Amino acid sequence: MITLDTSALYALLDRRDPDHARVLEALQADPGPYVVPAGILAELAYLVESRLGARAMDAVLADLESGAYSLDCGDDDLPRIRSLALRYESLPLGYADSAVIACAERGGGRVLTLDERDFGVVAREGTIDVLPRADFT
């Protein structure tokens, strides 16, 4: 299972994004399943609709509807999300990234993200594995 972060999903949708190929390659190298934390949908929708348009967001929703990605992260994850957001408030990790990490920890620990700064801090502690591969030491 790979938990998808906003940055990776956005790069996947925007073929002009400099990281598009890296993200696509990481997804193609793994059969999934691919999980989108419900907590990042508003963040993703804002970016996609304002930069790529409504049709691009409709493509994301169609993928969710078809099961290409599944929505996850609910009430049971809230204690861990709160804990992460408080622990890493100096980053600030925030709600969206904390939701991604909480879902990933519960589902095997793999996160597809381009946010090396914030996710790299958590990855160094060993609770998640960040894709595409980067050196966080």
Side-chain angles (χ1 to χ4, degrees), residues 6 36-49 57 95-96:
T6 302
V36 176
I40 70 164
L41 278 182
E43 181 179 68
L44 179 65
Y46 172 77
L47 288 173
V48 170
E49 290 171 7
M57 189 61 209
Y95 170 76

Side-chain angles (χ1 to χ4, degrees), residues 4 32 35 49 58 67 82 84-85 97 101 108 116 124 128 130:
L4 305 175
V35 173
E49 290 171 7
D58 184 61
R82 288 182 62 212
L84 287 162
D97 290 350
I101 292 167
E116 295 176 0
R124 280 191 295 273
I128 61 170
V130 176

Side-chain angles (χ1 to χ4, degrees), residues 115-132:
D115 182 353
E116 295 176 0
R117 182 184 70 115
D118 293 349
F119 286 91
V121 169
V122 179
R124 280 191 295 273
E125 295 184 5
T127 63
I128 61 170
D129 183 23
V130 176
L131 305 170

Side-chain angles (χ1 to χ4, degrees), residues 8-21 51-52 56:
L9 277 168
Y10 182 84
L12 185 64
L13 290 167
D14 185 356
R15 292 175 190 230
R16 298 167 300 182
D17 189 289
D19 293 302
H20 174 80
R51 297 178 183 177
L52 302 175

Side-chain angles (χ1 to χ4, degrees), residues 88-113:
Y88 297 104
E89 68 183 313
S90 63
L91 290 177
L93 197 60
Y95 170 76
D97 290 350
S98 295
V100 170
I101 292 167
C103 288
E105 288 175 339
R106 191 172 29 79
R110 296 187 309 149
V111 176
L112 184 60
T113 185

